[in-house]
Amino acid sequence: MPNLGVTNGKLAVCPSSPNCVSSQAQANDKHFIEAIVVKGSTLDAHGKVLAVLESSKRTKVVVNKADYIHAEFTSAVFRFVDDVEFLFSQERDGEVVVDIRSASRVGHSDFGVNRKRMEAIRGKLNK
């Protein structure tokens, strides 16, 4: 099983290969992506993320906890699996900060697929 999950409130660190993005990476790191901010409570944010995942093709939610979701996205052609994680970590002023991580299980480069996927999910959540 890949390096996944939450340890001491943190998502796993991205490997050195460029096929991973994480909001918990250092801001100057090539893996860094902004966390997603969702209006509402943690419960609201969780429901919204789950709805986006359930409406996505070739996506399977593997772990669904109150503060953490892990989903697998499978590519259409080669059936590569990417692991996508959401950590609902901070609730303040009617908004929830959702830390995110998306990583390919195999290969070196992902041609930006993980970053594009997370930005698409961000767009759906911010509608």
Side-chain angles (χ1 to χ4, degrees):
M1 191 67 182
N3 188 18
L4 294 169
V6 180
T7 305
N8 297 324
K10 297 283 185 190
L11 296 168
V13 173
C14 282
S16 60
S17 55
N19 59 3
C20 176
V21 294
S22 173
S23 62
Q24 292 183 338
Q26 295 296 318
N28 61 350
D29 187 312
K30 65 185 175 195
H31 298 108
F32 179 75
I33 188 169
E34 291 280 339
I36 297 174
V37 178
V38 181
K39 293 195 184 311
S41 67
T42 300
L43 188 62
D44 296 332
H46 184 278
K48 289 174 185 176
V49 168
L50 210 52
V52 167
L53 293 174
E54 289 172 349
S55 71
S56 301
K57 292 180 182 172
R58 297 177 308 280
T59 303
K60 178 174 123 185
V61 174
V62 182
V63 178
N64 180 5
K65 296 181 179 176
D67 63 343
Y68 172 79
I69 295 174
H70 167 220
E72 295 173 343
F73 281 72
T74 304
S75 67
V77 179
F78 294 109
R79 314 301 290 162
F80 292 134
V81 176
D82 292 343
D83 293 290
V84 179
E85 299 175 280
F86 301 86
L87 177 60
F88 304 87
S89 52
Q90 304 167 38
E91 185 176 331
R92 63 175 183 261
D93 302 327
E95 294 181 330
V96 179
V97 176
V98 183
D99 278 306
I100 55 176
R101 182 180 185 273
S102 182
S104 302
R105 284 191 187 170
V106 297
H108 182 74
S109 177
D110 66 350
F111 304 102
V113 168
N114 284 294
R115 185 173 298 279
K116 288 175 191 159
R117 173 186 304 117
M118 297 315 279
E119 291 302 348
I121 290 172
R122 179 193 315 278
K124 290 177 184 175
L125 289 170
N126 288 334
K127 279 187 176 178

